[in-house]
Amino acid sequence: MSSESKDVSQTYIEHPEKIKKLYKRTLIIVVISQIFGGAGLAAGITVGALLAQEMLGTDAVAGLPVALFTLGSAGAALFVGRLSQHFGRRTGLATGFIIGGLGAIGVVFSAVFNNPFLLFASLFIYGAGTATNLQARYAGTDLAKSKQRATAVSIALVSTTFGAVAGPNLVNVMGDFALSIGVPSLAGPFILSAAAFILAGLVFLILLRPDPLLIARTIEAAKQTQNEKGMSGTTNQEENKRGVIVGATIMVLTHIVMVAIMTMTPVHMSDHGHGLGAVGLVIGFHIGAMYLPSLVTGVLVDKLRRITMAIASGATLLLSGLVAALAPGDSMILLILALSLLGLGWNFGLISGTALIIDSTNPSTRAKTQGAVDVLIALSGASGGALSGMVVAGSSYQVLSLAGGILSLALIPVVIWSRKERAAEMTQS
């Protein structure tokens, strides 16, 4: 950290009211960037599978685009996490979003030249935008108090709703725009993604000063120094490890279930005669349910125990899988209900798991750990996306949905293990 940065950090240490103002300002910046980021991620979800299906002429690889950009997001999560660890949130998040925007531009060119190899490579790079959009939720928590953390995450997620819901419902508009400039219609949403991701990156690059993570790290170092001079505090590393493991497991399980069912829903709807507008509407409700309830979820996670909301996540995902499996393919209402429950269950799991990760880390290692956890989330999404197409091709969408719902029940033994470990620790203390 430069001497100028140290001086700035020292100013915040000496004036706690400035920390509160910076916390609020950081949340505003995160909200603005997440609106753009939400619009950027919607394209891959809505038309990625359809674009691959059109290029290659088979349903078996329809899940590959989501698998590729989620796999790309795994590498990007680690990269953005390491950048943030060394240089702060501003550098890491701005770089990730801009790289994701370049990947979206590559997808557009792949459609123009009808080149599947360029499509797959570009989707992999596009994944940097989705990873960064997810990691941006951490920026608002760096200066938050322990009882504000889930709420801070929820503010970031709910702001994503504005862009994420608008994105799928602009597929027809962007498709018409793409055709007007000589680009295949299915590539139109990726034009929106490119602009949205790059704008999100510029918001962080220009506005996120001073960097909240660097300030939080300095504040934590000052507290440790004070503890060493007086009564030193203790840190339970074993409890931290347990919290990270439980939080990561919750997010991985909920993510793999959500991605698997979500990926094949557009293809399932297309096979039953639904047009792009109908697909966009269902995915719009799904993404809205992923992010819009966040403010309420964040308050519940802060007020109730993190684990309570993790259990609610598993129950909601199970219900979603059952509705999706039993819904007739031509029933828009039931498909909207199933995908809305899918998004809501993911929301419960992501916010409760994220809060556990933040609770279990400190500013000196937080960004690195968060990046590593998001790698696992992305890899689980890649697995869910890749396997979903194979499952549907080998059996049916109904089997996939039912399997996803049953998999969500794996959260129960995780919760039981967590409670037993905590009880054992309390007994020993």
Side-chain angles (χ1 to χ4, degrees), residues 38-392:
L41 68 86
I45 295 173
T46 308
V47 299
L50 297 176
L51 188 58
Q53 184 187 40
E54 182 179 88
M55 279 190 181
L56 299 173
T58 175
D59 287 354
V61 295
L64 192 56
V66 172
L68 282 169
F69 73 68
T70 48
L71 186 61
S73 72
L78 187 61
F79 175 67
V80 171
R82 293 298 177 94
L83 271 183
S84 298
Q85 181 72 33
H86 291 290
F87 303 107
R89 300 288 187 193
R90 173 176 165 266
T91 300
L93 296 175
T95 302
F97 269 129
I98 291 172
I99 291 174
L102 295 177
I105 292 173
V107 172
V108 175
F109 278 105
S110 72
V112 171
F113 298 111
N114 195 31
N115 188 324
F117 297 106
L118 179 58
L119 170 68
F120 297 149
S122 298
L123 284 169
F124 184 83
I125 298 171
Y126 167 83
T130 65
T132 309
N133 190 76
L134 190 59
Q135 279 208 26
R137 75 194 188 278
Y138 291 120
T141 69
D142 289 324
L143 297 172
K145 296 178 182 179
S146 59
K147 292 185 178 180
Q148 295 176 316
R149 288 168 178 166
T151 302
V153 172
S154 70
I155 290 172
L157 291 178
V158 77
S159 61
T160 306
T161 307
F162 299 104
V165 173
N169 288 289
L170 289 174
V171 291
N172 284 333
V173 174
M174 293 306 301
D176 292 341
F177 172 74
L179 289 173
S180 71
I181 60 174
V183 174
S185 62
L186 285 177
F190 284 96
I191 298 175
L192 175 64
S193 287
F197 277 158
I198 291 172
L199 283 171
L202 291 176
V203 167
F204 278 122
L205 185 65
I206 296 170
L207 299 179
L208 198 62
R209 298 169 183 267
D211 194 287
L213 180 60
L214 299 183
I215 297 295
R217 193 176 295 164
T218 305
I219 293 171
E220 182 67 22
K223 288 180 179 178
Q224 289 180 358
T225 301
Q226 290 176 354
N227 286 335
E228 289 171 1
K229 290 180 179 178
M231 184 179 294
S232 61
T234 58
T235 302
N236 190 335
Q237 290 298 325
E238 186 176 351
E239 182 176 324
N240 286 347
K241 290 180 181 179
R242 175 184 57 80
V244 171
I245 292 171
V246 174
T249 303
I250 290 169
M251 289 191 284
V252 164
L253 285 174
T254 54
H255 196 64
I256 193 170
V257 172
M258 186 276 291
V259 170
I261 297 176
M262 173 202 68
T263 297
M264 295 310 297
T265 297
V267 175
H268 173 68
M269 292 181 67
S270 179
D271 290 343
H272 285 82
H274 296 285
L276 273 181
V279 172
L281 181 63
V282 171
I283 297 299
F285 271 96
H286 167 65
I287 297 177
M290 287 172 65
Y291 297 106
L292 193 57
S294 295
L295 285 178
V296 175
T297 304
V299 172
L300 290 174
V301 172
D302 278 333
K303 297 292 183 182
L304 306 176
R305 295 176 63 180
R306 295 0 183 175
I307 297 301
T308 301
M309 295 307 295
I311 295 173
S313 170
T316 306
L317 289 173
L318 174 61
L319 182 59
S320 168
L322 291 174
V323 174
L326 298 175
D330 57 355
S331 175
M332 280 288 292
I333 293 177
L334 289 179
L335 285 172
I336 288 174
L337 175 61
L339 270 290
S340 296
L341 288 170
L342 185 69
L344 184 62
W346 177 87
N347 178 272
F348 290 167
L350 183 73
I351 295 180
S352 59
T354 298
L356 277 168
I357 296 295
I358 299 166
D359 292 343
S360 306
T361 55
N362 59 69
S364 63
T365 59
R366 182 166 293 158
K368 180 179 177 181
T369 302
Q370 290 165 343
V373 170
D374 278 4
V375 169
L376 296 177
I377 295 172
L379 289 175
S380 68
S383 301
L387 292 174
S388 63
M390 298 178 187
V391 171
V392 171

